[in-house]
Amino acid sequence: MSDTIFGKIANGEVAADLIYEDDEVVAFRDLNPQAPVHVLVIPRKPIPTLNDAGPEDAELVGRLMLAAAKVAQQEGIAEQGYRTLINCNAGGGQTVYHLHVHLIGGRPLQWPPG
């Protein structure tokens, strides 16, 4: 699982535009941004999909969301608003099988998104 591109970024094997990191979480700019701010927030622990997260991962999933909020503040979009999104499996739009939160903002966002 750590052989995904996100696993390699989390392990420091592949360079990325990191904007936040701690012992459990890494955040970096998306290479194909869908908004002026489009950041991916990932756990260092390899979890393929949200379906694969277990009760033991509850705190880590919460840390992902708190890191996303911190990055939103850091990027100056917290007050105007932003979207957090987790795609799960192919039908949900997931293309890299390492759990990740999309943090999207910096422009008005429409609903429904997809």
Side-chain angles (χ1 to χ4, degrees), residues 33-86:
Q34 302 300 304
V37 176
H38 188 165
V39 174
L40 301 175
V41 184
I42 67 170
R44 290 187 188 274
K45 177 182 177 180
I47 303 170
T49 74
L50 187 57
N51 290 342
D52 297 302
E56 69 279 7
D57 298 310
E59 186 174 331
L60 179 57
V61 173
R63 287 181 187 273
L64 290 176
M65 300 310 287
L66 292 175
K70 185 179 284 190
V71 171
Q73 186 71 40
Q74 177 182 306
E75 293 292 304
I77 62 170
E79 292 304 315
Q80 72 187 48
Y82 57 92
R83 181 172 293 154
T84 56
L85 174 74
I86 298 174

Side-chain angles (χ1 to χ4, degrees), residues 84-101:
T84 56
L85 174 74
I86 298 174
N87 298 324
C88 188
N89 286 325
Q94 186 174 9
T95 58
V96 178
Y97 286 83
H98 186 118
L99 179 64
H100 55 286
V101 175

